Every structure is written in C-alpha cells, then in structure tokens.
C-alpha cells in the first residue's frame, strides 16, 4: 500500500483516498484475509488524520509517506514486543498446544527458548480441505519448530480432545481480533478453545494490534463471507453452503488472555482499545 | 525528574525483592512514579497527550516516540510533593470510604459469610450494623484461626456472629445470602491472592450462586499477572498444622503450610474499593488510571 501511495498521481486528497480504497479492495479480492483488510483500514485512517492538518497537497503527500514508514516500522517491532510480554507465561517443562502456522507464536516460542526454558509443543495438522496442500501445511510449523530444537508432536485435528488432558496451556495466533474480544482464526480454533475451557486449561492468544477489526459477530454466521472463503471460491462456486469455510470465530468467554503489542489484555479490554482508536 | 524516577525505581526494586508477597509496596511506588509523570507532563504543557497509554490511536498519530524527562522545572518539586500529600490523604481515608458504601449492599435479615480477619470487612460490617440487623457467619480460617478474632470484634458491636470450621463452608453455604471477604492483593486480570481457604469459599459460593463481594482498597491492586502458579506462595512454619511435639511421625511425612490462595476472576461478583463498586472485568481500566504501563515491571 505504501508503494502505491508513492506512485499515486491523484491531485486531490479525495482522489487519493478513493484510489487507495480501490487498491485495498483489489488486495482483498485476491486473497481475502482479515488481517489485510484491518491493516488496510488502519492505514487509511492514518491517512485521513493527516489530511486534516495540512492544506498544501504535495507537502501532505510527503508527510503521509513518512508516516507510512513509521507505521511499517512500528508494526514490524510489534512482534518482538509481544514475544517479550508472552514468554514469561511459559513455564519450564510446559506442554503447549498450538494450531496452524503463526509467525507470532513462532516468535514467542523462540523468545522462550532464548530464555533457556524447556518445553514441548503439540501442533495440530490444521487440515485445509483441499487435497495436495495437506503436506505443505503440515510441515511448515513443525519444521520451523524443529529448527529451534523444540520437541514437536504433530497431532490430528480430531485428536485435540484426546490430547487436552496432557497439555498445560494453549497458545494460538489470530488473523483478526474483533470488538467483543473474540478472535477470528484458522478453522478448528473454536473447537480447541471449547475443549480447553472444559478442562480448565488457559487459552492464550497472541496478535499484533493492527489486526483489531471493526466487526462484532454474534455467531459463526455473522462473519462476512469474503473472509470465510478464498476469493476464487467466492467467484466460481454456485452454492456457498457446499464450500468449507477457512476461518471460524472464537468467543471471548473462551479466551483467558490476549497478548498484543499494546500490552497484556483481558478480552474485555479489547473493545476499549478499539474505541480509543476509532474515536 | 528523570533522575528522581530512577532513584525511586531502584528503591522500589530493593523493597519488593525483600518481600515479594507484600505487593502493596510495589504498588505505591508505581503510584508515585505515575504522579511524577503526570506533574511533569502538566508542566511540559503537552496536555493533548494526557493519555499516555499505548493505543492504536497513538500508533497512528504521533510521529515521535517516548518523551524525555530531562528538562528542569523548578515548580515540579512543589507540585509533586503536593500530589503525594493528596495520595497520603486518600490512603488514610480508604477504610472509611469503603465502609460508607456498606448500607447499599447489606440489607436487613441477611446472612453474611466471611473468612478470617480483615479490617476492611470489619469496618464495612460495623458501619452497616448501625442501621441494619443481620447475622454473620465467620469461617475460622485455620491454621491461624484469625476468624476467632474477627468474631469477637463483631460481637462487641452486637452483631449476631457464628464461628465455624473451614470444613463446614460448603454445608452452610445454602443458607448464606452474601459472601463478603477481604484480600491481600488484586491481580491485573481481576484475580485475588487471599488467605488460604478463600478459593474453597469462592467455589462454594459459585455453586450456590451466592454473590461474592471483595472489599479492598485500591492500593492492593497490583499490575502483575499470575504467570507462575507458585511464585506468589508464601509458606510458613508447619508448626501450626502439625506441632513439633508429634515427634515420631514428622520424619515420614511432608507438611506444608501455605499462607495464600489464588482465586480466579470468574468466581468474583463485585469489587468494592474506595473508588466505588466495580466488576472484575473492569480491573484493566482501573489499572490504566492508577499506573503507567512502563512501570509495570519495576
């Protein structure tokens, strides 16, 4: 998006804004993801805030670009911040359950390894439903963990209930964090959360702050279709009820704590943060 | 003032390292640090940034990073001293503030249960007793049996008091209308560190859907999270549990005497503090008002 801004040739702020919107639209249409759309919206907000202050257009554009760089930098630092906050919660000898591939979770586990903690990880297969991709997805997370010398066990998605009694805590990433404090993440997360609650295991979520999204789903149906299915599926399929969704919504009552670059938050604190932003 | 803050911080670290279970010390140090920051900010003139917390909003609007406390202001000292005096006055008035709210929560002919001895709860109940008639059941809270002391004091105010053992908590719970307890510390997620036996009381109350009210002044709110289950525990001599006179058996068994208990936030209904009544899920907000995020790790 920043690159696009640099190249934009619009002469008015309005023109710039609408072309940016179009860019975000195209991005989301290619491979819809909650994080992309929330990141895009935040960037837009960012821009609109600037435009109120300066009347000279070209100067405005420069400031925007500068701010964009700062934004980018802050966002890349956020993963390290989160890792620093989260790793004290992992005890020596802990057994962690995680789901699908998440770079933030990986960073947290790296930080825990650096602070000389020994623990083992169970990773779910997180089966996508398309054949052929199976092996790729399976190995990404497990390989990365093995490189860090952490003992890893890959388990079936269906085996979560079976393994829950052996596990000490559950740590997942999030594709989006919604206003109620719940999360949107790879399909299967809701199940893990429910099992964890049933057996009284803490369920921790790690997410960067740009993933906070202005949605308030009350149930699974409320999550917009464009996030649930891949873009080409939306275009080609006739009947959406026959397609498998890629993400699900986990309600805040199942989450113990959220680790973000804004600090350690309880799910009820999330909506407060969102309000502060969109004030 | 940057130097002042560093001085305070090192002193604070020394004191908390000496006795980690006394979190109040650390809390007050953090309060003072926040006071200093506020006064500095006020003098510095940047009142638009009065909200110093990290937020998404800040992520987007500010170009620069954290402020630098090096500019000197001669009036800063006087302001800080005044603010600290205000803090002291607040501290002295906490028990009275809490007791003043008693009448709203206790009604006539109620059966109230409590555990152990807490000065805050004692003041709370005494204040209510002046206008209402109710009964109190006190769990004695072995092994130190401070419940006995509580019962004696309450009965001096002509409150009908009953003392019972901790084992009978669940049995009596069905007759109880409210549970009111004090605590040692309130943690950042809304959980409690209280005398041992409180978790049992909380679970029994949850089972019978009895409201659990915690009376605690705000200086007990600590920004720590319960990350290591046993880092908060303080153990004392097991003399109270099994006296040393029972010589023979001592070589064959392990005796523990933990002082504190962890109570998770889902079991608590209401916190009554000198600022008013709050739900456990609101604790994060109170924390952001009292302390600055940079001070969470002293």
């Amino acid at each position: 998006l920043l690159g696009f801004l640099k190249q934009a040739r619009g002469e008015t702020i309005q023109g710039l804004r609408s072309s940016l919107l179009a860019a975000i639209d195209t991005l989301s249409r290619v491979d819809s993801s909650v994080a992309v759309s929330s990141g895009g919206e935040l960037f837009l907000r960012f821009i609109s805030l600037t435009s109120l202050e300066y009347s000279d257009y070209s100067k405005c554009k420069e400031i925007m670009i500068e701010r964009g760089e700062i934004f980018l930098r802050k966002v890349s630092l956020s993963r390290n911040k989160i890792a620093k906050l989260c790793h004290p919660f992992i005890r020596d000898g802990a057994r962690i359950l995680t789901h699908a591939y998440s770079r933030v979770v990986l960073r947290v586990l790296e930080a825990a390894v650096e602070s000389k903690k020994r623990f083992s990880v169970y990773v779910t297969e997180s089966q996508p439903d398309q054949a052929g991709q199976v092996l790729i997805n399976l190995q990404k997370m497990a390989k990365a963990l093995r490189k860090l010398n952490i003992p890893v066990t890959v388990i079936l998605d269906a085996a979560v209930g079976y393994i829950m009694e052996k596990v000490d805590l559950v740590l997942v990433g999030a594709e989006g964090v919604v206003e109620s404090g719940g999360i949107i993440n790879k399909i299967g997360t809701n199940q893990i959360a429910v099992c964890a609650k049933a057996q009284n295991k803490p369920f921790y979520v790690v997410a960067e702050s740009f993933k906070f999204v202005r949605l308030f789903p009350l149930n699974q149906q409320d999550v917009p279709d464009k996030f649930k299915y891949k873009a080409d599926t939306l275009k080609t399929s006739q009947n959406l009820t026959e397609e498998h969704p890629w993400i699900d919504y986990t309600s805040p009552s199942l989450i113990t704590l959220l680790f973000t670059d804004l600090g350690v938050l309880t799910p009820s604190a999330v909506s407060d943060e969102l309000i502060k932003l969109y004030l | 003032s940057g130097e002042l803050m560093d001085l305070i911080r090192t002193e604070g670290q020394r004191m908390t390292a000496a006795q980690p279970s006394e979190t109040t010390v650390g809390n007050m140090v953090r309060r003072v640090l926040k006071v200093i920051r506020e006064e500095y900010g006020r003098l510095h003139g940047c009142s638009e940034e009065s909200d110093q917390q990290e937020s998404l909003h800040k992520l987007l609007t500010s170009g620069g990073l954290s402020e630098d406390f090096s500019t000197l202001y001669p009036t800063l000292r006087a302001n800080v001293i005044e603010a600290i005096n205000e803090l002291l006055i607040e501290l002295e008035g906490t028990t009275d503030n809490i007791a003043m709210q008693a009448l709203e929560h206790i009604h006539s002919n109620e059966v109230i249960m409590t555990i152990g001895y807490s000065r805050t709860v004692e003041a709370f109940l005494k204040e209510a007793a002046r206008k209402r008639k109710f009964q109190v059941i006190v769990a004695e809270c072995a092994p130190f049996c401070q419940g006995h002391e509580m019962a004696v004091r309450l009965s001096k105010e002509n409150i009908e008091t009953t003392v019972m053992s901790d084992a009978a908590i669940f049995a009596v719970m069905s007759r109880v209308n409210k549970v009111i307890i004090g605590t040692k510390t309130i943690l950042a997620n809304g959980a409690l560190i209280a005398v041992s036996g409180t978790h049992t009381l909380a679970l029994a109350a949850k089972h019978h859907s009895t409201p659990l009210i915690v009376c605690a002044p705000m200086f007990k709110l600590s920004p720590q999270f319960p990350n290591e289950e046993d880092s908060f525990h303080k153990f004392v001599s097991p003399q109270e549990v099994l006296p040393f006179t029972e010589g023979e058996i001592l070589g064959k068994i392990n005796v523990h005497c933990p002082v504190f208990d962890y109570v998770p936030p889902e079991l608590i209904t209401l916190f009554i503090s000198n600022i008013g009544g709050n739900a456990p899920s609101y604790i994060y907000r109170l924390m952001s008002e009292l302390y600055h995020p940079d001070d969470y790790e002293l």
Side-chain angles (χ1 to χ4, degrees):
Chain A
L1 275 179
L2 195 55
F4 182 80
L5 183 59
K6 287 191 184 135
Q7 296 165 2
R9 257 164 281 174
E11 285 303 309
T12 62
I13 308 274
Q14 282 291 62
L16 191 60
R17 191 189 155 83
S18 46
S19 41
L20 264 176
L21 269 169
I24 295 180
D25 231 7
T26 346
L27 263 179
S28 353
R29 233 176 285 137
V30 167
D31 204 357
S32 53
S33 128
V34 184
V36 168
S37 90
S38 67
E41 200 181 324
L42 269 176
F43 192 72
L44 203 59
R45 206 113 230 283
F46 195 57
I47 304 277
S48 348
L49 283 170
T50 341
S51 59
L52 294 171
E53 296 169 42
Y54 300 94
S55 43
D56 180 19
Y57 178 68
S58 45
K59 187 157 176 251
C60 196
K61 190 153 170 250
E62 259 175 52
I63 307 272
M64 279 192 209
I65 295 182
E66 194 188 308
R67 287 242 179 124
E69 302 279 346
I70 299 180
F71 190 63
L72 209 61
R73 235 186 307 140
K74 274 199 182 169
V75 159
S76 29
L77 285 175
S78 57
R79 228 174 258 167
N80 287 332
K81 254 189 177 176
I82 297 177
K84 204 171 78 164
L85 277 176
C86 188
H87 78 86
F89 282 72
I90 300 178
R91 264 170 290 152
D92 221 3
R95 281 164 301 204
I96 305 176
L97 173 64
T98 184
H99 183 60
Y101 180 65
S102 162
R103 282 167 292 189
V104 194
V105 173
L106 216 52
R107 187 77 196 81
V108 169
L109 295 178
E110 252 178 55
V113 166
E114 279 162 28
S115 58
K116 309 267 187 341
K117 292 199 202 185
R118 273 171 299 161
F119 51 90
S120 58
V121 181
Y122 294 95
V123 185
T124 58
E125 264 190 344
S126 62
Q127 276 279 3
D129 318 275
Q130 271 123 320
Q133 285 214 329
V134 173
L135 286 174
I136 302 176
N137 219 349
L138 183 91
Q139 306 211 351
K140 250 209 254 183
M141 186 73 167
K143 243 196 220 164
L145 286 172
R146 280 198 191 103
K147 257 199 244 164
L148 297 169
N149 281 326
I150 304 175
V152 184
T153 320
V154 180
I155 61 172
L156 292 173
D157 291 340
V160 167
Y162 169 78
I163 208 87
M164 192 55 77
E165 55 185 29
K166 289 202 208 158
V167 159
D168 291 319
L169 62 105
V170 184
L171 186 63
V172 298
E175 294 203 19
V177 179
V178 294
E179 280 184 23
S180 58
I183 56 166
I184 296 189
N185 199 14
K186 186 84 191 290
I187 191 104
T189 316
N190 197 19
Q191 266 156 257
I192 300 185
V194 174
C195 281
K197 186 82 182 187
Q199 307 226 9
N200 258 323
K201 309 283 178 183
F203 187 84
Y204 297 131
V205 174
V206 279
E208 300 101 315
S209 58
F210 69 82
K211 290 184 176 160
F212 281 30
V213 115
R214 287 195 84 174
L215 275 181
F216 203 116
L218 295 171
N219 53 24
Q220 304 294 341
Q221 308 302 336
D222 282 344
V223 182
D225 276 341
K226 66 176 174 138
F227 295 141
K228 277 200 210 166
Y229 308 103
K230 292 241 184 252
D232 24 340
T233 337
L234 280 171
K235 275 186 250 162
T236 56
S237 70
Q238 323 293 57
N239 189 0
L240 273 178
T241 52
E242 298 196 359
E243 296 296 324
H244 298 290
W246 280 85
I247 57 173
D248 66 12
Y249 162 70
T250 306
S251 89
S253 54
L254 303 168
I255 302 175
T256 327
L257 283 177
L258 279 131
F259 297 95
T260 68
D261 47 334
L262 305 168
V264 187
L265 303 170
T266 48
S268 40
V270 169
S271 47
D272 216 36
E273 291 294 328
L274 263 174
I275 293 176
K276 269 198 246 171
L277 165 67
Y278 285 106
L279 245 192
Chain B
S1 55
E3 296 169 358
L4 178 61
M5 284 173 44
D6 280 329
L7 262 173
I8 297 185
R9 208 172 279 140
T10 32
E11 281 305 305
Q13 276 166 350
R14 257 185 56 207
M15 288 193 279
T16 40
Q19 179 67 287
S21 64
E22 296 290 333
T23 50
T24 334
V25 172
N27 297 345
M28 287 324 294
V29 173
R30 291 183 184 102
R31 283 295 284 277
V32 173
L33 284 172
K34 168 122 184 159
V35 159
I36 299 178
R37 279 177 209 261
E38 264 177 28
E39 293 299 325
Y40 183 82
R42 208 171 297 166
L43 284 176
H44 205 59
C46 47
S47 47
E48 17 96 358
E49 215 56 59
S50 58
D51 147 45
Q52 295 183 341
Q53 311 292 355
E54 285 277 336
S55 71
L56 290 179
H57 190 83
K58 237 188 129 211
L59 187 70
L60 301 185
T61 52
S62 61
L65 300 166
S66 54
E67 48 183 71
D68 145 49
F69 288 95
S70 52
T71 43
L72 280 173
Y73 286 109
T75 50
L76 181 65
R77 188 151 183 227
N79 284 359
V80 170
I81 294 183
E82 197 184 305
I84 294 184
N85 280 331
E86 274 174 29
L87 200 60
L88 281 172
I89 298 179
E90 183 197 321
L91 283 180
E92 284 164 28
T94 50
T95 324
D96 291 328
N97 270 326
I98 294 178
M100 275 194 312
Q101 303 172 45
L103 280 175
E104 300 166 358
H105 296 281
I106 301 184
H107 309 290
S108 284
N109 287 329
E110 278 200 326
V111 180
I112 303 204
M113 178 178 268
T114 183
I115 187 170
Y117 174 55
S118 159
R119 277 164 297 201
T120 321
V121 176
E122 187 197 331
F124 195 79
L125 293 176
K126 276 187 185 164
E127 178 70 27
R130 295 201 294 145
K131 295 243 178 86
R132 312 236 201 268
K133 203 125 187 49
F134 54 90
Q135 298 176 19
V136 179
I137 303 183
V138 183
E140 70 179 359
C141 184
F144 302 105
C145 292
Q146 290 181 329
H148 297 172
E149 163 113 18
M150 177 77 149
V152 164
R153 285 177 190 236
L154 287 178
S155 52
K156 278 210 190 102
E157 304 289 320
N158 291 327
I159 304 177
E160 245 180 86
T161 324
T162 320
V163 179
M164 38 153 248
S165 71
D166 299 341
I169 287 178
F170 194 86
V172 190
M173 188 54 78
S174 46
R175 300 281 217 89
V176 174
N177 296 111
K178 285 197 172 79
V179 181
I180 302 185
I181 56 175
T183 171
K184 176 86 176 156
T185 310
I186 306 176
L187 295 172
N189 60 347
L192 296 183
I193 303 277
V195 289
S196 102
T198 316
H199 197 173
T200 325
L201 184 60
L203 284 171
K206 184 79 178 198
H207 185 266
H208 288 93
S209 296
T210 318
L212 179 71
I213 301 177
V214 179
C215 291
M218 270 297 119
F219 59 76
K220 288 192 175 165
L221 175 61
S222 167
Q224 290 153 309
F225 276 92
N227 43 4
E228 313 234 335
E229 290 302 329
D230 30 17
S231 69
F232 284 101
H233 269 292
K234 188 169 130 177
F235 288 83
V236 293
S237 146
Q239 160 81 354
E240 310 288 336
V241 178
L242 193 60
F244 291 124
T245 48
E246 316 246 338
E248 257 190 46
I249 199 175
L250 285 181
K252 302 183 191 148
I253 55 173
N254 281 325
V255 187
H256 290 295
C257 186
V259 182
F260 297 122
D261 231 350
Y262 170 78
V263 182
E266 300 85 49
L267 302 175
I268 305 168
T269 323
L270 188 66
F271 280 106
I272 297 184
S273 69
N274 44 322
I275 329 184
N278 296 111
S281 52
Y282 198 61
I283 289 286
Y284 73 90
R285 191 48 182 277
L286 297 172
M287 269 223 308
S288 64
E289 281 174 18
L290 294 175
Y291 311 121
H292 190 273
D294 285 343
D295 298 332
Y296 286 171
E297 285 295 321
L298 248 194

